[in-house]
Amino acid sequence: MAAGEPPQPVWDDAVTAARKLAQREREQTTVGVQEALDDPLAMAEHRLAGEALAGVVQEVEPAYDTSGKTRGPGRW
């Protein structure tokens, strides 16, 4: 109230509730991925579910745009 903002409602409306839920689900997915990267046992669960792959990068081929400049991985 001191900052001039309206008070927080007791219940969110449907749109606000859906946005909050979607944000929390994205954050939960991020936490799960980070946990899997840190914990080999958690990664094994993702591998068994077909959500992750195990392997070693053998070679990276750069892509070329029309101007002939090289674009490396992650530089799109």
Side-chain angles (χ1 to χ4, degrees), residues 1-71:
M1 298 289 289
E5 298 176 359
Q8 175 68 31
V10 176
W11 298 99
D12 290 326
D13 60 62
V15 174
T16 303
R19 286 182 183 151
K20 286 181 179 180
L21 178 62
Q23 177 65 28
R24 290 178 181 144
E25 288 175 343
R26 283 190 300 271
E27 290 169 354
Q28 182 63 40
T29 301
T30 302
V31 167
V33 169
Q34 288 298 324
E35 180 182 79
L37 291 173
D38 294 339
D39 182 8
L41 187 58
M43 180 59 87
E45 292 178 19
H46 288 280
R47 287 182 186 151
L48 289 173
E51 298 170 349
L53 301 173
V56 177
V57 176
Q58 297 292 324
E59 182 180 346
V60 176
E61 294 181 18
Y64 297 93
D65 65 5
T66 56
S67 67
K69 294 182 180 179
T70 303
R71 290 185 172 177

